[in-house]
Amino acid sequence: DTAVSQTPKYLVTQMGNDKSIKCEQNLGHDTMYWYKQDSKKFLKIMFSYNNKELIINETVPNRFSPKSPDKAHLNLHINSLELGDSAVYFCASSQDRILAEFTGELFFGEGSRLTVL
Amino acid sequence: QQQVKQSPQSLIVQKGGISIINCAYENTAFDYFPWYQQFPGKGPALLIAIRPDVSEKKEGRFTISFNKSAKQFSLHIMDSQPGDSATYFCAASGVTGAGSYQLTFGKGTKLSVIP
């Protein structure tokens, strides 16, 4: 059973289109994340979300929006795609980050490679 | 502002040798320091982690050394094997300057272990 699964694995689309990437976790975690990994492998957090709070990285354009239908899902919707959005997007989850026991262990999906032409 | 600085960017080690990756952090509020390993086409996965109340942690061939006063920590891979070839990320978790609790990654080190 895959702990954190995301679809699609590959996505090729034209500039200006709107696309979504889906993420599901079966670990019972309270917090989910979206990370962007650029061509230089740099991992940058985009959002963290639990059912109480959405934390948005201030550098993320408002064309990006997380949508969570329930605790086990956090989808990423991107409007008006641009060339610079091409990257690998990782979904991750962890136990509630505000708990004192938060260990820093994130469980990542296998990534969704987005190519904008 | 890069809060966790990692070096080197890439590393080539002979099989059986020692791989050493270094990281430095700025935020003294960080209280947990994990290392993640990422293979091509996969997501990062936790390898080993340390809290600042200890100076060293060892798990098999992997050791973290931690220097709180210098705000530095490093990963040592003993007897490096070709299967260790991957990208390694150091990270630090704690309250950021913006007041939120999150994990901040270094820029990664691509390790290649040659036979």
Side-chain angles (χ1 to χ4, degrees):
Chain A
D1 248 1
T2 304
V4 180
S5 59
Q6 49 183 116
T7 56
K9 192 171 176 69
Y10 301 97
L11 184 55
V12 181
T13 188
Q14 299 286 331
M15 278 177 56
N17 285 350
D18 302 339
K19 290 294 178 185
S20 292
I21 305 172
K22 295 183 177 181
C23 179
E24 176 182 6
Q25 54 95 5
N26 63 6
L27 297 167
H29 286 162
D30 294 305
T31 303
M32 296 183 73
Y33 309 80
W34 278 104
Y35 278 83
K36 178 180 180 181
Q37 187 171 48
D38 61 23
S39 58
K40 295 184 178 179
K41 299 289 188 183
F42 184 42
L43 274 166
K44 187 174 180 180
I45 189 167
M46 301 177 70
F47 306 99
S48 65
Y49 181 77
N50 61 22
N51 57 4
K52 303 164 196 164
E53 189 177 20
L54 170 66
I55 302 291
I56 303 172
N57 185 318
E58 60 190 15
T59 65
V60 175
N62 57 15
R63 298 181 294 103
F64 291 78
S65 57
K67 297 186 190 303
S68 180
D70 56 58
K71 195 175 96 166
H73 297 83
L74 183 67
N75 304 325
L76 180 65
H77 190 75
I78 315 169
N79 291 327
S80 303
L81 279 156
E82 300 178 357
L83 293 176
D85 298 333
S86 296
V88 180
Y89 292 85
F90 286 98
C91 177
S93 73
S94 72
Q95 65 188 79
D96 194 333
R97 60 177 169 77
I98 67 174
L99 292 176
E101 296 80 20
F102 179 71
T103 62
E105 181 169 13
L106 268 60
F107 292 80
F108 283 85
E110 294 204 333
S112 296
R113 180 177 293 276
L114 171 65
T115 302
V116 182
L117 304 176
Chain B
Q1 181 189 4
Q2 186 187 349
Q3 296 194 59
V4 180
K5 295 183 179 179
Q6 182 173 348
S7 62
Q9 189 173 350
S10 62
L11 182 60
I12 299 174
V13 173
Q14 205 86 32
K15 178 182 175 182
I18 302 173
S19 304
I20 302 174
I21 305 170
N22 300 300
C23 282
Y25 63 98
E26 299 165 3
N27 188 347
T28 55
F30 288 145
D31 58 8
Y32 199 76
F33 301 88
W35 285 87
Y36 280 77
Q37 180 188 54
Q38 183 181 25
F39 293 105
K42 301 293 184 182
L46 181 67
L47 181 65
I48 187 173
I50 196 168
R51 290 203 180 275
D53 52 350
V54 297
S55 60
E56 185 175 283
K57 183 173 182 180
K58 184 175 181 180
E59 290 184 2
R61 295 183 294 108
F62 301 91
T63 300
I64 300 177
S65 297
F66 187 83
N67 185 330
K68 187 174 181 178
S69 60
K71 294 190 285 186
Q72 295 175 346
F73 58 111
S74 60
L75 176 69
H76 295 235
I77 306 174
M78 311 300 287
D79 187 26
S80 298
Q81 299 296 312
D84 297 331
S85 298
T87 299
Y88 292 81
F89 294 92
C90 63
S93 66
V95 178
T96 68
S100 62
Y101 198 104
Q102 70 178 44
L103 194 63
T104 301
F105 284 91
K107 289 194 171 184
T109 296
K110 184 175 182 180
L111 172 64
S112 301
V113 181
I114 54 177

